[in-house]
Amino acid sequence: MQRIYLISTGGTIEKVYSEQSGVVENRAAKLERYLRMLRLPDAEIRAEHLMNKDSLEMTDADRVEVRDRVAGLLAEGAPIVISHGTDTMVETGRFLEESFHDLKVPIVLTGAMTPLGFEGSDGLQNLTESLLAARLLAPGVYIVMHGQVFPVSRARKDKDNATFVWA
Ligand code: GLU
């Protein structure tokens, strides 16, 4: 069994439509519901919900919280996937890269341009790709989106095309 840790922090991938406010917002975790749709016979996914934020609202303290949780898991020696809003995914990834100099496992950040469950969502694709990439990649911090793998220092969000490109 390959264990993989999955930490969710919010972002578009987990957004829901609010019938009250009429906007799409981060209110509740929904990643685990989608995880159950995947066939992963030799993987043990340990999912945990750390926060539920649009990444534009993430503070330095939030990033320290993410770093501290990652630090607590690194001793387990298993890959870590972090679901995160795409707008500041690179910023958090770089912070993690600066924080951990001798990684023994890959840390993969992923998210979505359209929420899980919405028509045309890229969320399940990105989640699936990230779980596979986390098993294959060398130690380091990466962004995995849309069939692409970027070392975090080489990635940038391309807002016009709603994807990530090489920086
Ligand atoms: N601004 C939001 C965020 O970064 C939406 C972008 C996204 O997740 O794709 O969380």
Side-chain angles (χ1 to χ4, degrees), residues 11-13 15 53-56 84-88 112-113 157:
T12 290
I13 191 166
K15 285 192 179 184
K53 286 207 166 183
D54 183 305
S55 75
L56 289 176
H84 194 290
T86 56
D87 281 332
T88 69
M113 299 295 173
K157 181 174 174 178

Side-chain angles (χ1 to χ4, degrees), residues 27-53:
R27 277 203 309 196
K30 59 175 170 175
L31 220 54
E32 292 195 40
R33 189 150 33 100
Y34 287 86
L35 264 183
R36 287 198 286 273
M37 295 178 182
L38 305 179
R39 286 196 203 189
L40 302 167
D42 70 338
E44 179 200 353
I45 314 298
R46 294 251 181 119
E48 59 181 78
H49 186 61
L50 190 63
M51 61 186 74
N52 206 356
K53 286 207 166 183

Side-chain angles (χ1 to χ4, degrees), residues 7-154:
I7 303 172
S8 64
T9 67
T12 290
I13 191 166
E14 291 210 276
K15 285 192 179 184
V16 294
Y17 176 70
S18 165
E19 294 185 1
Q20 284 69 42
S21 62
V23 297
V24 177
E25 57 193 17
N26 284 107
R27 277 203 309 196
K30 59 175 170 175
L31 220 54
E32 292 195 40
R33 189 150 33 100
Y34 287 86
L35 264 183
R36 287 198 286 273
M37 295 178 182
L38 305 179
R39 286 196 203 189
L40 302 167
D42 70 338
E44 179 200 353
I45 314 298
R46 294 251 181 119
E48 59 181 78
H49 186 61
L50 190 63
M51 61 186 74
N52 206 356
K53 286 207 166 183
D54 183 305
S55 75
L56 289 176
E57 288 163 11
M58 278 177 101
T59 62
D60 289 348
D62 291 326
R63 289 199 168 80
V64 167
E65 197 178 332
V66 174
R67 182 200 64 196
D68 289 350
R69 188 60 198 127
V70 168
L73 292 174
L74 284 176
E76 303 297 325
I80 299 170
V81 175
I82 302 172
S83 64
H84 194 290
T86 56
D87 281 332
T88 69
M89 185 183 282
V90 170
E91 193 178 330
T92 300
R94 287 188 177 213
F95 178 61
L96 294 174
E97 192 172 57
E98 285 160 17
S99 302
F100 303 115
H101 293 294
D102 190 24
L103 282 173
K104 304 275 190 292
V105 295
I107 299 171
V108 172
L109 290 109
T110 195
M113 299 295 173
T114 298
L116 280 164
F118 285 38
E119 187 175 354
S121 175
D122 51 341
L124 196 55
Q125 175 190 337
N126 293 332
L127 180 62
T128 309
E129 290 171 353
S130 295
L131 292 171
L132 178 60
R135 303 176 67 158
L136 302 175
L137 288 167
V141 183
Y142 303 89
I143 286 180
V144 172
M145 294 275 293
H146 303 158
Q148 301 182 95
V149 179
F150 303 93
V152 72
S153 58
R154 301 287 317 281

